Amino acid sequence: MSNLLIVDDDLEVLALLKKFFMQHGYAVETVAGGTELWAAMERHPADLIILDLMLPGENGLLLCQRLRQQHA
């Protein structure tokens, strides 16, 4: 089973995406920002990350760059 991590600050979007992917057989974890992203990756590395670009604080592009540096 593939593990997805969805990062978005909109809780309704998170709930909708989580429900959709779980119905299609994925294990899904959702988080609302960068701090939670790093904690989730420590607990259980994801096979795929769906990342919102317009996050408060550290935006999605910066998070993506850091992810590539650390997990490439």
Side-chain angles (χ1 to χ4, degrees), residues 2 5 12 14 17 20 22 29 33 39 44 46-47 50 52 55 57 59 63:
S2 294
L5 176 59
E12 290 181 26
L14 284 178
L17 289 172
F20 174 82
M22 288 182 73
E29 183 170 358
H44 192 79
D47 297 313
I50 299 173
D52 181 15
L55 294 169
N59 70 48
L63 290 171

Side-chain angles (χ1 to χ4, degrees), residues 15-72:
L16 203 89
L17 289 172
K18 182 174 184 172
K19 180 179 178 182
F20 174 82
F21 284 110
M22 288 182 73
Q23 287 175 341
H24 288 85
Y26 293 92
V28 180
E29 183 170 358
T30 59
V31 297
T35 303
E36 296 93 345
L37 165 70
W38 303 118
M41 290 295 287
E42 287 288 323
R43 285 191 305 275
H44 192 79
D47 297 313
L48 175 71
I49 299 172
I50 299 173
L51 181 59
D52 181 15
L53 295 178
M54 306 270 300
L55 294 169
E58 191 171 19
N59 70 48
L61 285 176
L62 293 174
L63 290 171
C64 185
Q65 289 171 344
R66 285 184 53 202
L67 281 164
R68 289 197 63 194
Q69 288 173 352
Q70 294 178 12
H71 298 281

